[in-house]
Each structure stands twice: as C-alpha cells, then as structure tokens.
Amino acid sequence: MASAVKIPRPRRIPVQVANGSRFDRRLAEILEHATEVFCEKGYAGASMRDLSRSSGMSLAGMYYYFESKERLLYLIQKHTFTTIVERLRERLEGVSHPEHRIRVFILNHLQYFLTNQKAMKVLSHEDDALKNGFGAEIATMKREYYRICRQLMDEFKQARNLDFSSRMAVLSLFGMMNWIYTWYNPRVDADVAELARQMGDILLDGICSRPKGKRKSHN
Amino acid sequence: MASAVKIPRPRRIPVQVANGSRFDRRLAEILEHATEVFCEKGYAGASMRDLSRSSGMSLAGMYYYFESKERLLYLIQKHTFTTIVERLRERLEGVSHPEHRIRVFILNHLQYFLTNQKAMKVLSHEDDALKNGFGAEIATMKREYYRICRQLMDEFKQARNLDFSSRMAVLSLFGMMNWIYTWYNPRVDADVAELARQMGDILLDGICSRPKGKRKSHN
DNA sequence: TTATAATTCGAACGAACGTTCGAATAAGCA
DNA sequence: TGCTTATTCGAACGTTCGTTCGAATTATAA
C-alpha cells in the first residue's frame, strides 16, 4: 500500500446545488441574519465576526457557504431584487388600465419595501459597495427595474395625452418610495395600501395637471 | 538650573479658536477633502489613511485638528447642515406667499444638494454612523429642518383650504429631493431651477387636487 | 538672532479585520 | 456496524485599522 498521499480536496463546488437542500436552507438562514446586520451597521461596518455571531455559526464555518463577504452581499442583493421583480410581473399580469398598472407598481414596491425593510435598505444603501463583476450584475437588474417603471409611465402618458418628463416622474417616484425606510413608523403612519394610494395620488395628479402643449403659469 | 522637567502639554484645546485663523482654514481644507472620500467610500469604508492622503497631510498630523474619525464626520455634517439652514432662512425672509415659500425651500435644498452633492450624500447616507452624543445633535438639526418644511406645508394647506397629510407631503418631498444624488446627470437633466420647478409642480399639484372634504374616485 | 508657540510627522501600539487550514464532528448510506 | 461525504470549528495567518507619542520642523514675535 502506498503511503498516504494528500489528495487536494475539491473545495466549494456547491454555491447552489439542489433546490431546498439542507445546504440551501442553511444558506438562506445565514442570508437572512446577515441582511439584518448589514442593515444596522452597513456593509463596510459589519465584520465577518458580527455576521457569524448573528447566525450562530463559527467564523470559519461561514466560508463553507460563500467565498467572501462581498459575495455574501451580492447574494443578498440578487435574491432581493429577483423576488421583487418576480412578484411585480405576477401582479401586473391581469391589469391593463395604465393608471392601475402604475398603482400596482407602487403598491408592490412599497409592500415589499415595508415587509423586507432591512433587505431593501441594504439594497438601496449599499448599491456601490460591490466591485466590478458583482456590482455590474446588480446594476443591470436595477436598470431593468427602472425600465419597467419607465415604460408604465410612458404608456400612461400616451393614454392620457399628457406632456411631462417620464424620467423625472419615475425618479421622483423612486425617491418618494425609497426614502420611506428613513421615516416609516407603523404606529403613526397609515398602512401600506393607504400609503401607496397617497403616493400614487401625489404623483399621478402632479403629472396630470399639465396637459400637452400647455404650461400652467406660476405667478 | 533645575534638570529639565517635562511639563505636560495642553493638547488639543482649539477645535474652533478664531474665525478664519490659519487653524480654521486648514481644518476647512481637510473637511473638504474628507467629505469627498466619505462620499466615495462611506464613513466606515474610508480609513484615516485614505483621509490623510486625500488632504496631503500625515496620518498623525490629522489628529492635531480633530480628536477622532467620528468627530471629523460630525464636523462635516454639522457644517453642512448649518449652512443649508442659514441660507434657507435668508431666502425665506422676503417671501410671504405660501406657495412661493415652499418653492423657495425646494430650490434652496436642490441648489445646495447639487453644488455640494458629496457633502449632502454623506449627510443623508451616514446619518446613523454617529454614536450617542454626536448623533443626537445632528438628529436634532435634522428634526428642526423637517419642522421648518412641515410648517411651510401647513401654512400652504391652510391658505388653500386643502386636506392632505402634511407629514406625507413633506416626507415625499424629501424623498424626491434627496434621491437626486443617485441619478442626477448634468448632461442629461435640466438645471437646478427647472428641476426645482418640476418637483414643485409634482408635489403642489399632487396635493392640491384633493380639496377639503372631497375624495376623488379612482376607478 | 533667540525663545516660544503652533504645526507636522515617522514610528509604533494593540485591536480588529477578512480569510485559510487541517482537524474534529455530524449525516447519509452501505 | 463501518465508510464516505457534508458540515463545523479553533487557531492562526498577514494586513489594515484608529490612535498615540515624542521628536522634528515651521511660523510668530521680541
């Protein structure tokens, strides 16, 4: 028998093996806890030791599930984004009225934002923490999400024969919605549906009151 | 002659001695460069070595001007806030028409935001990086700024006999305005004055279309 | 010039960082 | 039961972190 020769282990092949495997479930748990910590301390401010403590796993053990802290953030952001876009597509399916479609968009965004407040804060707050490859993919998803909203806005504009900057309207809407994590307090503020309605009102009435070719004077 | 006895130096008394002294000017320079670095890397992500490199001063030399990295962030945020509120007060002085007063607020905010984009990003992005004492003071200034805007909104509401949530209106407005640092591109987007006008239109028309006691139906 | 105060810096401190390694344990299947 | 693979971990790695110290340098005023 030959003396024991060290065979190099094939490390870290998995990353996403089966669907709902033990590995996947544990990884999902870690992502959930990590999201909370990233939300509280920010990406750079959260140490791997913080993250391991929060999910009750040893520091070294974490690296069995992902190869770096950056990759962990990437996994969180990707999962968050994928989910929100997926839900949006489902909800838009049966709705054809342009105004309703925008209202569906707003409701979906706010609903997801408020039930996954931590994840969304991480997503909107740490959007430039990822370098090169990772960052580019997330940025693409973000652009796609913007594109969807922009298209809804254009359809609305055309249907009503209105004249306003879709870009401004979409970006203002995102601003209103994404800022919510800084102030929302369930004991003071209305529920999601009412909030979505109010923001929809502000936006839609705001852009509606300037019909094509006319300019309201402000004196 | 007595042997040389070390007299403990009175370290770090200054912090803000005279107005426009050499010390103050150099400190202002450091703050300016540090703002840029904080903006790019975030508070936690920017190291004291990054900060010292950016202002061309040695690492140790920085500590002559402030006693900790946290205090440096505090100085930046305080200066930014003080300036923006100061300018706002000046500009509101001669204006009495409620709608105009809100438009002045928006213009002032956006103007300061776009000319001091970096500082404002640091201000809105790192608002929970400061601990306890420092954080509390900045939070107070923020509340005061919110209060001013809220009051303008209430006056407008009363003057026009409207019915809407001032809180929602103010926070939506802040959202629209503060989100701007994520998208503004001077080569694509309108100038500040036009931008302020458009955001003012969206907000004011949006909240105006629901007169007291009435509810527009959305079908 | 000389004495004093203001400013700057190289070098180092201990602590915390992200990551790695090989051994130890648990799970799954024969 | 044993064998194999999947999972977990303590201990350590080299680096970088924020901060400090005392000495060196520069400005100020006599």
Side-chain angles (χ1 to χ4, degrees):
Chain A
M1 196 210 266
S3 66
V5 174
K6 274 281 155 61
I7 297 162
R9 283 177 295 163
R11 310 265 265 92
R12 237 177 275 109
I13 345 90
V15 169
Q16 203 105 347
V17 199
N19 210 326
S21 68
R22 198 171 117 83
F23 180 90
D24 286 0
R25 269 180 284 120
R26 195 82 175 91
L27 175 57
E29 253 179 66
I30 295 174
L31 292 190
E32 210 165 309
H33 289 113
T35 300
E36 205 146 325
V37 179
F38 278 146
C39 172
E40 276 157 25
K41 308 197 162 196
Y43 173 70
S47 72
M48 282 299 295
R49 283 157 183 87
D50 292 332
L51 297 167
S52 79
R53 207 176 306 118
S54 83
S55 54
M57 174 167 284
S58 73
L59 177 58
M62 305 282 282
Y63 285 85
Y64 180 70
Y65 289 93
F66 46 86
E67 64 217 50
S68 69
K69 185 185 167 189
E70 193 183 9
R71 169 109 201 169
L72 173 58
L73 176 60
Y74 163 79
L75 289 175
I76 291 176
Q77 297 205 341
K78 177 168 178 173
H79 175 261
T80 305
F81 235 127
T82 305
T83 312
I84 196 172
V85 171
E86 202 171 87
R87 288 206 197 169
L88 175 63
R89 292 223 147 92
E90 285 169 17
R91 289 178 173 208
L92 278 177
E93 202 110 318
V95 185
S96 61
H97 190 276
E99 176 178 337
H100 280 177
R101 286 170 69 80
I102 291 182
R103 289 192 179 267
V104 164
F105 184 92
I106 296 175
L107 181 63
N108 183 73
H109 190 96
L110 286 185
Q111 217 157 58
Y112 197 82
F113 217 119
L114 289 183
T115 35
N116 304 74
Q117 208 163 21
K118 312 240 163 119
M120 290 303 280
K121 182 178 172 187
V122 172
L123 190 58
S124 61
H125 225 242
E126 307 289 354
D127 66 342
D128 46 4
L130 294 173
K131 299 284 158 223
N132 311 323
F134 290 152
E137 191 179 334
I138 300 296
T140 300
M141 300 182 76
K142 240 173 234 201
R143 255 193 308 277
E144 165 68 4
Y145 190 58
Y146 165 82
R147 209 191 47 75
I148 295 174
C149 185
R150 162 101 197 212
Q151 194 168 310
L152 296 183
M153 205 64 78
D154 281 334
E155 286 165 9
F156 177 77
K157 186 159 67 172
Q158 206 190 342
R160 298 259 192 133
N161 195 36
L162 291 168
D163 182 28
F164 61 86
S165 157
S166 293
R167 178 174 157 86
M168 262 291 291
V170 169
L171 293 169
S172 295
L173 174 62
F174 274 124
M176 283 193 245
M177 295 191 301
N178 291 345
W179 197 242
I180 210 175
Y181 78 82
T182 66
W183 57 267
Y184 186 72
N185 177 355
R187 288 208 311 266
V188 174
D189 298 300
D191 67 4
V192 201
E194 172 63 14
L195 225 59
R197 206 187 56 75
Q198 288 182 19
M199 281 197 189
D201 286 350
I202 290 181
L203 180 85
L204 294 172
D205 293 334
I207 58 186
C208 275
S209 48
R210 260 157 212 78
K212 215 161 192 168
K214 303 214 174 155
R215 263 278 164 94
K216 193 180 161 197
S217 68
H218 288 285
N219 40 357
Chain B
M1 197 216 272
S3 65
V5 174
K6 275 281 156 60
I7 297 164
R9 283 176 296 162
R11 310 263 265 91
R12 237 177 276 109
I13 345 91
V15 168
Q16 203 104 349
V17 199
N19 210 327
S21 68
R22 196 171 119 84
F23 180 90
D24 287 0
R25 269 180 285 120
R26 195 79 176 93
L27 174 57
E29 252 178 66
I30 295 174
L31 292 191
E32 210 165 308
H33 288 112
T35 299
E36 205 146 323
V37 179
F38 278 146
C39 172
E40 276 158 24
K41 308 196 161 196
Y43 172 71
S47 72
M48 283 299 296
R49 283 159 183 87
D50 292 332
L51 297 167
S52 80
R53 207 175 308 118
S54 83
S55 54
M57 173 168 285
S58 74
L59 178 57
M62 307 282 282
Y63 286 86
Y64 180 70
Y65 289 93
F66 47 86
E67 64 217 50
S68 70
K69 186 185 166 190
E70 194 183 8
R71 169 110 201 169
L72 173 59
L73 176 60
Y74 163 79
L75 289 175
I76 290 176
Q77 297 205 341
K78 178 167 179 173
H79 174 261
T80 304
F81 234 127
T82 306
T83 311
I84 196 173
V85 171
E86 201 172 87
R87 288 207 198 169
L88 175 63
R89 292 224 146 92
E90 284 169 18
R91 289 177 173 209
L92 279 178
E93 203 111 317
V95 184
S96 60
H97 190 277
E99 176 180 335
H100 280 179
R101 285 171 68 83
I102 291 182
R103 289 191 180 270
V104 165
F105 184 92
I106 296 175
L107 181 63
N108 183 73
H109 190 95
L110 287 185
Q111 215 156 60
Y112 196 82
F113 217 120
L114 288 183
T115 35
N116 304 74
Q117 209 164 19
K118 311 238 163 124
M120 291 303 280
K121 182 179 174 188
V122 172
L123 189 58
S124 61
H125 225 243
E126 308 289 353
D127 66 343
D128 46 3
L130 294 172
K131 297 288 159 220
N132 309 326
F134 290 151
E137 190 179 334
I138 300 296
T140 300
M141 301 181 76
K142 239 173 234 201
R143 256 194 306 278
E144 165 68 4
Y145 191 57
Y146 166 82
R147 209 192 48 74
I148 295 175
C149 185
R150 162 101 197 211
Q151 193 169 310
L152 297 182
M153 205 64 77
D154 281 334
E155 286 165 7
F156 178 77
K157 185 159 67 172
Q158 205 190 343
R160 298 261 193 131
N161 195 35
L162 291 168
D163 182 29
F164 62 86
S165 156
S166 293
R167 178 174 158 84
M168 263 290 294
V170 169
L171 293 170
S172 295
L173 175 60
F174 275 123
M176 283 192 245
M177 294 191 302
N178 291 345
W179 197 243
I180 211 175
Y181 78 82
T182 66
W183 57 268
Y184 186 72
N185 178 354
R187 288 208 311 266
V188 174
D189 298 298
D191 68 4
V192 202
E194 172 63 13
L195 225 58
R197 205 187 57 74
Q198 288 182 19
M199 283 199 189
D201 286 351
I202 291 181
L203 180 86
L204 294 172
D205 293 335
I207 58 186
C208 275
S209 48
R210 261 156 212 78
K212 216 162 191 168
K214 302 213 176 158
R215 265 273 164 100
K216 193 180 161 198
S217 68
H218 289 285
N219 41 353

